Amino acid sequence: MPKYFFNVSDGLNITDDEGLDCPSLDVALREAVRYAGSLLKESGHRLHLGDTWSLEVTEEATASAFCIDLQIRSSLASTAENVRWSAA
């Protein structure tokens, strides 16, 4: 069974040294989403506008799989509102 590693990059990088055996990439994806949600619930209060957060999942044999990225940025509506106010 393939082993997947779940490494977090958020300024306090968390490296998964143990990994998790998953029967398929789909199962690894579900585990990654669950893990990401759990981590963000615990430490989301540390995130600020402009921050990025990433969970990279790698498969032991191929060293590649997928990445879940989170970027906190101003919304397009907020940007347009700021431009409108500054032009007035």
Side-chain angles (χ1 to χ4, degrees):
M1 185 176 310
K3 183 175 275 196
Y4 292 86
F5 296 88
F6 301 80
N7 301 304
V8 176
S9 176
D10 68 348
L12 299 175
N13 300 339
I14 301 170
T15 302
D16 179 5
D17 295 325
E18 295 180 25
L20 180 66
D21 292 327
C22 297
S24 69
L25 184 62
D26 288 338
V27 172
L29 176 62
R30 286 194 298 274
E31 287 296 324
V33 169
R34 184 195 57 72
Y35 183 48
S38 173
L39 289 174
L40 290 168
K41 184 176 181 179
E42 288 176 13
S43 62
H45 64 278
R46 290 192 347 244
L47 297 173
H48 301 9
L49 196 60
D51 286 351
T52 59
W53 185 95
S54 180
L55 173 61
E56 182 179 21
V57 179
T58 56
E59 196 268 320
E60 185 174 43
T62 63
S64 65
F66 59 89
C67 194
I68 298 173
D69 293 318
L70 174 69
Q71 179 184 18
I72 304 173
R73 59 177 176 76
S74 297
S75 69
L76 295 176
S78 296
T79 304
E81 187 69 21
N82 288 339
V83 169
R84 189 178 72 166
W85 282 104
S86 63

